[in-house]
Amino acid sequence: MEDSTSPKQEKENQEKLGEARRSWEGKTAASPQYSEPESSEPLEAKQGPETGRQSRSSRPWSPQSRARTPLGGPAGPETSSPAPLSRREPSSTPSPPAPARQDLAAPPQSHRTTSVIPEAGTPYPDPLEQSSDKRESVPLHTSQSERNTFQQSQQPKPHPCGPRDVSYNNAKQKELRFDVFQEADSNSDCDLQLPAPGGSEGAPSMLETAIQNAKAYLLKTSSKSGFNLYDHLSNMLTKILNERPENAVDIFENISQDVKMAHFSKKFDALHNENEMLPTYEIAEKQKALFLQGHLEGVDQELEDEIAENALPNVMESAFYFEQAGVGLGTDETYRIFLALKQLTDTHPIQRCRFWGKILGLEMNYIVAEVEFREGEDEEEVEEEDVAEERDNGESEADEDEEDELPKSFYKAPQAIPKEESRTGANKYVYFVCNEPGRPWVKLPPVIPAQIVIARKIKKFFTGRLDAPVISYPPFPGNESNYLRAQIARISAGTHISPLGFYQFGEEEGEEEEVEGGQNSFEENPDFEGIQVTDLVESLSNWVHHVQHILSQGRCNWFNSIQKNEEEEEEGEEEDEEKEEPDYIEQEVGPPLLTPISEDLEIQNIPPWTTRLSSNLIPQYAIAVLQSNLWPGAYAFSNGKKFENFYIGWGHKYSPDNYTPPVPPPVYQEYPSGPEITEMDDPSVEEEQAFRAAQEAVLLAAENEESEEDEDEEDDYD
Amino acid sequence: MDADSLLLSLELASGSGQGLSPDRRASLLTSLMLVKRDYRYDRVLFWGRILGLVADYYIAQGLSEDQLAPRKTLYSLNCTEWSLLPPATEEMVAQSSVVKGRFMGDPSYEYEHTELQKVNEGDKVFEEEIVIDKAVAIIPRGALFKTPFGPTHVNRTFEGLSLSEAKKLSSYFHFREPVELKNKTLLEKADLDPSLDFMDSLEHDIPKGSWSIQMERGNALVVLRSLLWPGLTFYHAPRTKHYGYIYVGTGEKNMDLPFML
């Protein structure tokens, strides 16, 4: 646009130059002259669309139209001091503002003339370069600057639109200028100018006045935010025209908000986002480390070793099957868990490892891996539990040291049932947990029977922090890691199943008598041929538990606590012979290993397991899926040959009735009742008096006996 | 979750473990399209899956232009054929709340209860779904806005909650007509923006702590799980438009919640 206009402008400029000089010398006189020649010339010089405007503008406008044309600024301005010129360069307003400034008092004509000149004489053919001189102090400047502003604000939009907009700009400028001039003070002069050129301008001038008023109002800057409505509207319209959203009118307010907010974007965000996004980046880094671990050792031999060892299960394959059943964590997440498991197997001496499942918590979740260590490589267990047991025995002895012999309670804490050895029973596997793949794995402590017993009585959500206390009644002996371990043990015992025949008992049968709970060991059956999927779905007897049932004692193998009791008797308890414990506790028996799940108890008419085919549409490739109704979230699948168990859920058992916490036991009669410790009421006043009277009577009697002769003295006593 | 973004939504909600098998997913995508066309709904949401003993119910909801209007509920047993559930009446609601236990999976199954008459399972499914929906369907703040003329619209310029907002329970609302809003004090109401804050927030749910709010994948995904109705998962990726909820569960309320917290 500029280019097109520039040649013309140059012509004009030169003309204006001459005029400018003239006007500079003779102000008032010059102006009308100006108006004439200027109006004519620009008229010719300007492009079509502008012509119309030009004519309209005629005299009073001509200077302004000139101003429009500032698109090209000739050197006319030289007349004015170079300084203002240079200053004006960015704004592409001609230097004449300086002289204009000086001519504050000069009639508007000179304004106009000078302004014309400046405009005409703008050395810069580029109106767009006008910077915002809006806030310049000098009023004249202000007028100019406002003009410029107009140009500027107009420029971006009309710019792409072609010369048409230039005229539009110019018209606006004219209007503004007109308005400004009105505000300045030369109202009368302006008016003079107005009618002077010709009466034809009467009507449009009213309209234009109004338009200019409106525009000036729009340009008023807000005292709060420093914006003005004009700019804001033009920005919004620009945005809308660029983006062209649907139904823009409906989201107009939102667009307005967005435009306003866009002013504030940059600096703020850089800091803000940093803090919030840090955890994301952290976890991403950790997970990246997971992906990189494979590259650490590039030795081929190690690769072969890895493949040979086969400790890691094929998690992705199981995940695929579970997905058929609609259960799973999503492929990406599962893959990360897979890598985390690999990391686990690399860092610990693990014989076999399995992805057990995920337990949801309030703040964080747990990903659980079931692990079997290699022979002889178990980590040392903490011996705290043994210490606790001994303490019970020691307590009663301590009482005897008191001087005031306190009554001895014959309460004896029930014998703590020792936990099962590792690799047997409930502690057959070791469990590792982590909150998210990428975080370090933490080993869970082995479970003790007391924990299982109490875990059966409470129902608490997991928080996600392993060291969180478990506050419950009955009080749980341990913190969340113990509770978690106990629940895992219960879930495994209740829901780990396999197709019948997959596992078989070991060959050694000589130990049956000694092992009280039944067979402990099983091994894979190499001759397993698989069961038809349809059979697996139809009948529950095709599935068996391969984890030992946990007795109500809390162990899988029965522990007879009576024998130990007898030993302790001899150690130093001198209590009564009466014992409230029976001499013989019946041995608890649970269903033996590898019992079919058809033997599982129903829960109030609900079958314990729900069987499904994974897909009804393509039954030939479907797999059998079992869902536990007792432990919601426990799933097992089998495709005939392969099987897998999985748990995802909150970690609680299902019960159709509401949970009721157990009632505290009745108060225990722990001390022998006798006069020393039996509480008695304090004697009342009458009793005391009676007692005293009785005592005195006794005394009297005694004295009477002693001195029968001293009857006088007796009288005195009374 | 929106039927349009079903795949992404399922992926984001997969943290709870229960999802859909591929064949169900595929059939859902196609059948929900058809449902939308046939019933002329503005939006179709896949509400979730109620696990029954024999079969599962898949539930979808259809929304009209006004987001807060009562939603039509459809159910299906195979994700292909959908049937409209009849609207509930008060007595039915009362009746089905008495019948406890798992769903069978057969819509014609009749429950027997000593005091009341038999309750049809189809009705019961519907009641439960309504109850659960009223209790725990949630929406992030700003996703819907209310026009002065009444209807509530989806906010097309909703760009997602910011991270700090996403961690607060107060930025999530129940997706239903407000119940507690009127009980707020004037002071509280003064801070609310009537076009955005016209639903109950989750903050004041009783019992307190019945929502578990977690960030997964670092801060890239916020997941809310209801502890009162276990199985409801709501997910939202902060700073994006993706949000949704799905219910996969047995359809029973967790009455033991106070003991468990």
Side-chain angles (χ1 to χ4, degrees):
Chain A
M1 187 166 71
E2 303 143 53
D3 292 337
S4 55
T5 46
S6 47
K8 294 173 201 162
Q9 287 161 11
E10 280 168 12
K11 263 195 256 167
E12 290 172 348
N13 289 342
Q14 291 180 356
E15 290 161 329
K16 288 171 197 171
L17 249 181
E19 289 163 353
R21 285 206 194 95
R22 266 178 278 146
S23 61
W24 186 234
E25 288 152 20
K27 298 168 191 181
T28 354
S31 52
Q33 284 176 15
Y34 266 19
S35 327
E36 309 283 13
E38 286 173 2
S39 49
S40 50
E41 284 159 9
L43 267 176
E44 293 153 5
K46 292 245 162 88
Q47 298 168 14
E50 290 176 0
T51 322
R53 296 248 189 208
Q54 296 284 339
S55 52
R56 188 158 72 105
S57 49
S58 59
R59 247 82 54 53
W61 306 121
S62 51
Q64 293 164 358
S65 55
R66 223 39 76 72
R68 249 194 293 178
T69 34
L71 305 177
E78 293 127 16
T79 47
S80 36
S81 47
L85 180 64
S86 47
R87 198 172 3 140
R88 276 301 168 177
E89 281 173 13
S91 50
S92 81
T93 10
S95 38
R101 223 179 304 151
Q102 291 156 18
D103 292 325
L104 236 174
Q109 293 173 6
S110 42
H111 266 205
R112 292 219 192 91
T113 49
T114 47
S115 59
V116 171
I117 301 170
E119 252 116 25
T122 327
Y124 277 52
D126 190 8
L128 299 178
E129 288 169 15
Q130 296 174 16
S131 60
S132 46
D133 295 324
K134 301 179 197 179
R135 318 278 179 260
E136 288 195 38
S137 43
V138 182
L140 275 178
H141 267 281
T142 321
S143 65
Q144 293 259 347
S145 55
E146 277 174 337
R147 231 176 290 137
N148 298 335
T149 325
F150 253 139
Q151 279 188 339
Q152 286 159 28
S153 49
Q154 306 287 332
Q155 301 302 347
K157 258 195 351 202
H159 200 44
C161 300
R164 209 156 167 234
D165 299 324
V166 177
S167 51
Y168 176 61
N169 271 355
N170 296 338
K172 290 249 162 144
Q173 282 191 339
K174 273 189 286 182
E175 295 155 1
L176 173 63
R177 219 170 296 130
F178 187 53
D179 197 25
V180 163
F181 284 124
Q182 284 183 335
E183 288 173 11
D185 31 60
S186 21
N187 270 344
S188 48
D189 289 329
C190 297
D191 293 336
L192 271 181
Q193 285 281 323
L194 270 180
S200 58
E201 309 236 326
S205 66
M206 293 276 290
L207 178 63
E208 283 166 356
T209 319
I211 296 176
Q212 284 221 327
N213 282 342
K215 209 184 203 185
Y217 167 71
L218 289 179
L219 273 177
K220 218 159 42 157
T221 56
S222 149
S223 49
K224 268 204 280 190
S225 58
F227 296 146
N228 66 47
L229 187 56
Y230 198 86
D231 289 340
H232 184 64
L233 281 174
S234 47
N235 288 340
M236 274 181 60
L237 287 174
T238 316
K239 182 168 173 173
I240 293 180
L241 286 172
N242 285 340
E243 293 177 8
R244 311 234 168 204
E246 252 185 58
N247 295 340
V249 65
D250 294 333
I251 49 174
F252 194 66
E253 292 81 11
N254 292 330
I255 297 179
S256 168
Q257 257 185 336
D258 287 341
V259 168
K260 281 192 188 160
M261 286 207 302
H263 285 277
F264 291 110
S265 43
K266 281 116 204 195
K267 295 176 219 165
F268 218 62
D269 272 349
L271 288 178
H272 226 60
N273 277 345
E274 282 276 337
N275 284 337
E276 291 175 337
M277 295 304 278
L278 270 178
T280 322
Y281 297 143
E282 263 180 50
I283 197 79
E285 289 279 335
K286 288 202 182 115
Q287 291 180 348
K288 183 176 167 191
L290 274 184
F291 285 96
L292 286 178
Q293 65 179 345
H295 298 308
L296 292 177
E297 302 120 42
V299 187
D300 290 325
Q301 186 154 36
E302 302 228 14
L303 202 61
E304 287 175 15
D305 284 346
E306 275 186 36
I307 297 176
E309 277 179 10
N310 207 15
L312 196 59
N314 192 349
V315 173
M316 298 310 288
E317 190 186 359
S318 317
F320 166 74
Y321 283 116
F322 276 116
E323 202 194 340
Q324 304 293 311
V327 176
L329 291 174
T331 323
D332 306 325
E333 194 67 16
T334 319
Y335 196 79
R336 278 188 221 117
I337 293 176
F338 195 17
L339 285 176
L341 281 176
K342 177 166 190 301
Q343 188 193 47
L344 183 66
T345 51
D346 287 342
T347 47
H348 294 82
I350 289 175
Q351 168 90 2
R352 222 180 348 202
C353 160
R354 202 175 73 81
F355 177 36
W356 186 91
K358 178 171 174 180
I359 292 193
L360 304 172
L362 294 178
E363 295 165 27
M364 288 188 285
N365 306 321
Y366 292 114
I367 295 179
V368 183
E370 183 182 78
V371 148
E372 199 177 313
F373 279 119
R374 282 194 218 125
E375 297 289 329
E377 303 224 22
D378 285 0
E379 301 181 10
E380 288 300 316
E381 293 148 12
V382 187
E383 297 188 357
E384 288 174 10
E385 293 90 352
D386 297 334
V387 174
E389 286 174 32
E390 290 170 9
R391 239 183 270 138
D392 289 337
N393 297 336
E395 264 172 24
S396 40
E397 295 172 19
D399 286 344
E400 291 179 84
D401 299 339
E402 299 282 328
E403 287 190 356
D404 276 341
E405 264 200 38
L406 291 176
K408 270 175 263 180
S409 103
F410 44 68
Y411 168 74
K412 232 182 2 163
Q415 165 79 27
I417 300 170
K419 71 175 200 285
E420 292 175 294
E421 291 298 310
S422 50
R423 293 177 180 278
T424 61
N427 282 323
K428 183 160 186 184
Y429 295 106
V430 179
Y431 292 90
F432 281 84
V433 294
C434 76
N435 286 121
E436 257 187 291
R439 291 203 203 257
W441 290 93
V442 178
K443 178 167 174 247
L444 286 181
V447 67
I448 59 179
Q451 290 169 351
I452 293 194
V453 167
I454 301 211
R456 281 178 169 147
K457 296 187 186 157
I458 65 175
K459 196 170 176 188
K460 287 290 225 175
F461 277 121
F462 294 100
T463 60
R465 288 169 287 123
L466 282 175
D467 50 0
V470 177
I471 302 168
S472 64
Y473 181 77
F476 187 78
N479 58 13
E480 182 156 315
S481 55
N482 303 103
Y483 184 45
L484 181 63
R485 179 67 181 81
Q487 291 293 95
I488 292 177
R490 289 173 70 201
I491 293 174
S492 301
T495 62
H496 277 30
I497 55 180
S498 54
L500 178 69
F502 193 91
Y503 288 117
Q504 65 184 13
F505 285 121
E507 295 297 291
E508 309 170 38
E509 297 189 3
E511 298 174 12
E512 257 194 65
E513 300 160 11
E514 296 174 18
V515 178
E516 291 163 343
Q519 292 283 358
N520 282 352
S521 63
F522 56 84
E523 56 186 29
E524 273 189 45
N525 181 357
D527 303 326
F528 180 60
E529 283 168 1
I531 308 182
Q532 283 297 319
V533 170
T534 37
D535 289 339
L536 285 174
V537 172
E538 278 168 32
S539 155
L540 287 181
S541 51
N542 282 323
W543 292 85
V544 298
H545 287 279
H546 61 260
V547 177
Q548 270 184 308
H549 173 79
I550 301 183
L551 307 167
S552 49
Q553 199 185 35
R555 288 171 52 113
C556 295
N557 300 318
W558 169 250
F559 173 76
N560 197 348
S561 51
I562 295 298
Q563 297 161 357
K564 288 260 176 107
N565 279 349
E566 291 170 0
E567 289 169 16
E568 283 178 7
E569 260 187 57
E570 300 162 9
E571 275 175 6
E573 306 254 338
E574 313 152 352
E575 301 308 322
D576 301 343
E577 293 293 329
E578 306 172 355
K579 282 212 179 344
E580 293 170 5
E581 305 157 17
D583 290 328
Y584 176 71
I585 303 180
E586 238 181 76
Q587 176 173 357
E588 296 170 23
V589 180
L593 202 55
L594 301 189
T595 29
I597 60 178
S598 46
E599 311 276 330
D600 283 359
L601 297 170
E602 283 189 354
I603 323 156
Q604 280 195 6
N605 307 331
I606 306 172
W609 293 89
T610 303
T611 60
R612 301 265 167 83
L613 262 184
S614 66
S615 153
N616 289 328
L617 301 170
I618 310 178
Q620 57 264 49
Y621 292 111
I623 56 171
V625 179
L626 262 78
Q627 250 172 284
S628 169
N629 294 325
L630 189 55
W631 290 97
Y635 294 91
F637 85 86
S638 170
N639 69 348
K641 293 240 172 204
K642 278 195 262 254
F643 84 97
E644 186 63 64
N645 295 294
F646 188 69
Y647 181 83
I648 169 111
W650 295 96
H652 298 114
K653 201 170 190 176
Y654 171 74
S655 95
D657 300 321
N658 298 336
Y659 168 74
T660 38
V663 183
V667 179
Y668 192 75
Q669 187 76 302
E670 48 178 329
Y671 295 97
S673 49
E676 315 93 58
I677 58 169
T678 315
E679 270 188 39
M680 290 185 302
D681 291 329
D682 282 342
S684 66
V685 181
E686 295 82 21
E687 283 181 16
E688 269 197 27
Q689 284 181 344
F691 185 68
R692 201 177 349 136
Q695 277 210 325
E696 288 170 359
V698 169
L699 271 175
L700 264 178
E703 288 171 11
N704 276 344
E705 291 173 7
E706 288 175 8
S707 51
E708 291 175 8
E709 309 96 31
D710 295 331
E711 292 182 353
D712 302 317
E713 291 174 332
E714 286 174 14
D715 291 338
D716 292 339
Y717 276 125
D718 291 335
Chain B
M1 53 180 63
D2 243 325
D4 301 329
S5 54
L6 192 66
L7 290 177
L8 175 64
S9 312
L10 281 174
E11 183 70 31
L12 290 176
S14 62
S16 306
Q18 317 265 15
L20 291 176
S21 56
D23 67 337
R24 295 277 182 245
R25 264 210 302 258
S27 40
L28 257 188
L29 281 171
T30 40
S31 58
L32 286 181
M33 270 303 123
L34 295 174
V35 161
K36 190 168 172 182
R37 176 200 71 183
D38 292 339
Y39 290 90
R40 297 191 198 286
Y41 290 133
D42 193 54
R43 272 207 306 168
V44 176
L45 301 181
F46 176 60
W47 186 84
R49 185 166 90 151
I50 294 189
L51 305 170
L53 292 174
V54 173
D56 297 339
Y57 290 103
Y58 296 86
I59 313 266
Q61 286 183 330
L63 274 77
S64 51
E65 189 68 39
D66 180 5
Q67 304 293 318
L68 273 190
R71 312 186 255 280
K72 306 274 186 310
T73 315
L74 304 112
Y75 80 96
S76 160
L77 287 162
N78 55 7
C79 277
T80 322
E81 292 142 22
W82 296 86
S83 353
L84 207 51
L85 279 173
T89 59
E90 287 293 325
E91 326 144 7
M92 280 156 62
V93 175
Q95 279 177 11
S96 34
S97 58
V98 180
V99 180
K100 288 197 287 195
R102 298 280 303 270
F103 287 92
M104 278 306 283
D106 176 12
S108 52
Y109 183 78
E110 303 251 320
Y111 289 97
E112 295 174 11
H113 194 85
T114 47
E115 295 166 5
L116 313 167
Q117 312 119 337
K118 306 190 177 191
V119 178
N120 190 345
E121 168 142 322
D123 296 336
K124 179 158 181 277
V125 167
F126 189 54
E127 299 328 316
E128 280 307 315
E129 185 273 330
I130 291 276
V131 169
I132 297 177
D133 202 38
K134 271 206 168 53
V136 287
I138 50 187
I139 265 234
R141 180 176 184 272
L144 300 182
F145 72 94
K146 194 169 185 153
T147 54
F149 308 110
T152 334
H153 293 294
V154 175
N155 183 1
R156 286 185 16 231
T157 56
F158 174 60
E159 288 297 331
L161 298 173
S162 69
L163 268 173
S164 51
E165 281 177 25
K167 294 188 195 169
K168 293 192 263 187
L169 271 185
S170 53
S171 345
Y172 301 99
F173 294 143
H174 285 281
F175 191 21
R176 57 157 199 235
E177 292 289 337
V179 168
E180 292 167 24
L181 213 52
K182 310 156 204 155
N183 298 341
K184 288 200 170 194
T185 64
L186 275 179
L187 260 184
E188 288 174 352
K189 278 196 215 168
D191 289 332
L192 301 179
D193 177 1
S195 69
L196 292 182
D197 292 307
F198 53 95
M199 293 181 280
D200 295 328
S201 133
L202 288 191
E203 271 189 307
H204 305 294
D205 266 9
I206 297 164
K208 211 151 186 196
S210 62
W211 289 95
S212 138
I213 181 166
Q214 282 179 16
M215 307 297 295
E216 290 197 2
R217 307 188 190 179
N219 276 351
L221 185 66
V222 57
V223 176
L224 269 82
R225 293 198 181 95
S226 168
L227 303 176
L228 196 56
W229 294 95
L232 183 105
T233 312
F234 169 86
Y235 65 88
H236 172 53
R239 300 181 174 275
T240 69
K241 285 189 192 183
H242 303 298
Y243 65 88
Y245 62 90
I246 184 172
Y247 178 84
V248 179
T250 61
E252 290 169 310
K253 196 169 182 178
N254 178 15
M255 298 297 284
D256 306 330
L257 185 61
F259 292 113
M260 295 171 78
L261 286 175

